[in-house]
Amino acid sequence: MVDKPLDLTEAISLYLDLKPLEAVDLEVAASMAIQWSKAAKAAGRAIEPEYDYRLTLIAAKPGSSKWLAAIERSPINQAALRVKRGWERVPLILRWSIALVVVIPATAVPTWEYWVGDESFSETQVNQIDQAVKKAITDSDVQNHKKSMFRDAQKDGNIKGVGGGVPNSQDWKPKNLVPSNQFAEADGLFEVQEEAKERRISRVIDVILVSPDLENAHKTWVFKQDGIPGQIRAIMKDDAFLVALENRSVQEDFRTEIPMTIRLETTEKRIDGKWKVKRKGRVVTEVISPVAG
């Protein structure tokens, strides 16, 4: 039986260069792939903050030396539209930008063109990639996931190099790789950054609405979680949901004690070595359920 050719029209790749006749430890490879995926999504958000991104596995080469994933995007705060239309493809130039950012060093030399290899881009495309890479290369989330990925790479001596890009064939391999002697942070692969003093955490949670502020909808709404003591007070920032609520197009008779699924963003500040939620630091960025429209 002949294997069906892989669809690479949405793909980006993480490539591990291994010693001859050797394979990489599965836990190491899987952990690297997870951090690579998280870095790719963070890079996409840094370049296009108006979009959410997701990666889905297409294939992993035997020996775990190459991971292929489809990367897709969807507008933030458009949950209903996402259900209707699904996720959309990411343009080629943006895929190249993301694939480069999650692997190449943050230092200026060599430039990103060195890592692309023999790819042919127009002057306009070169400028587009250059601007996108500059937006994402120093993003703190991207950097943190990259650091974790390269720390994992140091755990397996069979990994000689790490690379990435946009594959154009099933036997694709990046022209240039980050060699194993540059995996360690001490070798200057990454710029030294100060310890973060503030961070943002975004998560999707199921809640029960205690009290909405319908007269001044952008003010604080109060929620609780089933079985968890206490309340969550958060500013409602999903404008599309508020418009739908005003137009009475939310599929729910709005009242208290409504089950909801929300994307909650929490801003925390480091105080005396501990993370504490900032004043007005909780924001609802998206109401996933009930559905508007």
Side-chain angles (χ1 to χ4, degrees):
M1 180 178 177
V2 178
D3 291 339
K4 183 179 179 180
L6 297 175
D7 182 3
L8 302 176
T9 55
E10 300 175 356
I12 60 175
S13 177
L14 170 67
Y15 186 91
L16 310 182
D17 188 33
L18 305 178
K19 292 179 179 178
L21 305 179
E22 296 289 351
V24 64
D25 180 86
L26 179 58
E27 290 186 12
V28 171
S31 182
M32 289 181 67
I34 289 170
Q35 295 302 326
W36 170 73
S37 174
K38 289 181 178 180
K41 290 188 285 188
R45 291 191 296 266
I47 297 168
E48 292 187 322
E50 67 273 23
Y51 282 93
D52 272 338
Y53 284 81
R54 74 170 184 180
L55 271 73
T56 52
L57 182 66
I58 297 175
K61 185 177 179 180
S64 299
S65 62
K66 183 164 64 178
W67 296 73
L68 296 170
I71 183 167
E72 300 166 296
R73 66 182 183 180
S74 178
I76 290 177
N77 296 332
Q78 296 292 328
L81 186 63
R82 183 181 303 165
V83 170
K84 183 178 180 181
R85 289 189 352 203
W87 294 75
E88 62 185 49
R89 290 182 176 181
V90 175
L92 176 63
I93 296 304
L94 183 53
R95 276 192 289 141
W96 259 114
S97 304
I98 292 171
L100 289 169
V101 163
V102 298
V103 173
I104 66 174
T107 50
V109 179
T111 61
W112 64 263
E113 289 95 336
Y114 167 81
W115 303 96
V116 170
D118 296 327
E119 295 292 328
S120 297
F121 294 119
S122 68
E123 184 176 347
T124 299
Q125 290 173 325
V126 167
N127 290 334
Q128 289 173 337
I129 295 177
D130 193 54
Q131 292 303 312
V133 169
K134 286 178 180 177
K135 283 183 180 179
I137 195 74
T138 57
D139 179 84
S140 59
D141 285 341
V142 174
Q143 285 292 294
N144 288 336
H145 292 306
K146 282 171 67 173
K147 288 182 180 182
S148 295
M149 182 179 72
F150 278 101
R151 288 192 193 106
D152 286 335
Q154 296 175 65
K155 297 176 183 177
D156 193 321
N158 289 327
I159 302 175
K160 297 194 302 176
V162 173
V166 174
N168 53 20
S169 66
Q170 291 186 217
D171 59 353
W172 173 88
K173 177 181 178 180
K175 180 179 179 181
N176 295 301
L177 300 161
V178 179
S180 58
N181 62 3
Q182 292 183 16
F183 287 172
E185 294 171 300
D187 289 336
L189 182 57
F190 297 105
E191 296 170 344
V192 177
Q193 297 180 349
E194 295 181 3
E195 186 177 37
K197 297 179 181 179
E198 187 172 299
R199 68 180 182 181
R200 288 184 180 179
I201 301 171
S202 180
R203 57 197 178 108
V204 174
I205 58 174
D206 294 322
V207 295
I208 297 170
L209 178 63
V210 176
S211 61
D213 190 333
L214 299 179
E215 293 184 2
N216 193 342
H218 280 99
K219 285 195 172 180
T220 301
W221 290 35
V222 181
F223 308 90
K224 65 181 180 181
Q225 289 183 279
D226 191 25
I228 300 178
Q231 296 180 331
I232 299 171
R233 306 177 68 86
I235 299 170
M236 176 59 69
K237 286 280 185 80
D238 187 341
D239 291 331
F241 177 78
L242 293 176
V243 169
L245 191 62
E246 185 177 349
N247 294 336
R248 300 183 182 277
S249 58
V250 175
Q251 297 175 9
E252 178 70 51
D253 180 18
F254 233 69
R255 50 185 167 72
T256 59
E257 301 295 314
I258 297 176
M260 300 179 69
T261 301
I262 61 174
R263 187 183 299 276
L264 182 70
E265 182 178 278
T266 304
T267 302
E268 297 180 337
K269 193 171 184 178
R270 189 186 291 276
I271 301 175
D272 297 329
K274 296 182 179 180
W275 290 108
K276 297 184 179 181
V277 178
K278 288 183 64 176
R279 183 174 178 271
K280 297 184 178 181
R282 290 192 177 97
V283 174
V284 177
T285 59
E286 179 183 5
V287 174
I288 299 171
S289 175
V291 176

